[in-house]
Amino acid sequence: MVGLGATDEALLATMQDLREHGVEVLTIGQYLAPSRFHLTVKRYVHPDEFDALRAAGFGEVVAGPLVRSSYHAAQTVEAARKAKIGASHIRN
């Protein structure tokens, strides 16, 4: 979840760590304060920035302001599985 104060460098480093540990599916969403009593949004990430995060080298990345961890989970995992199968056929 972006928008709570993590720097772009910290986000990219975390994504690199996840790739190195075999993570293939990633969701990235924007923190949106549900009320004035919750944490404030430190930075609103423009949708174009989410486009750049999608090209991060994972099997499947779902990223956007309203994305949550379970956002289209079944479809996302299935797309990653198909991409992995397709990539294994290309290598063979």
Side-chain angles (χ1 to χ4, degrees):
M1 179 129 335
V2 297
L4 284 166
T7 64
D8 290 343
E9 294 78 19
L11 176 61
L12 295 174
T14 299
M15 292 169 68
Q16 178 64 34
D17 289 345
L18 291 169
R19 278 193 305 275
E20 290 173 2
H21 285 87
V23 172
E24 296 180 17
V25 177
L26 183 65
T27 59
I28 304 170
Q30 168 73 51
Y31 172 71
L32 300 170
S35 77
R36 64 185 177 96
F37 300 108
H38 290 79
L39 295 172
T40 59
V41 175
K42 300 291 184 191
R43 179 172 80 97
Y44 181 78
V45 177
H46 191 275
D48 292 345
E49 293 181 65
F50 284 106
D51 291 340
L53 294 172
R54 283 189 205 98
F58 290 89
E60 190 70 23
V61 176
V62 180
L66 300 177
V67 170
R68 299 297 175 254
S69 61
S70 60
Y71 190 83
H72 298 289
Q75 299 93 323
T76 303
V77 170
E78 182 64 17
R81 186 187 68 75
K82 287 180 180 178
K84 187 173 184 178
I85 291 171
S88 69
H89 288 299
I90 293 169
R91 284 181 276 195
N92 293 330

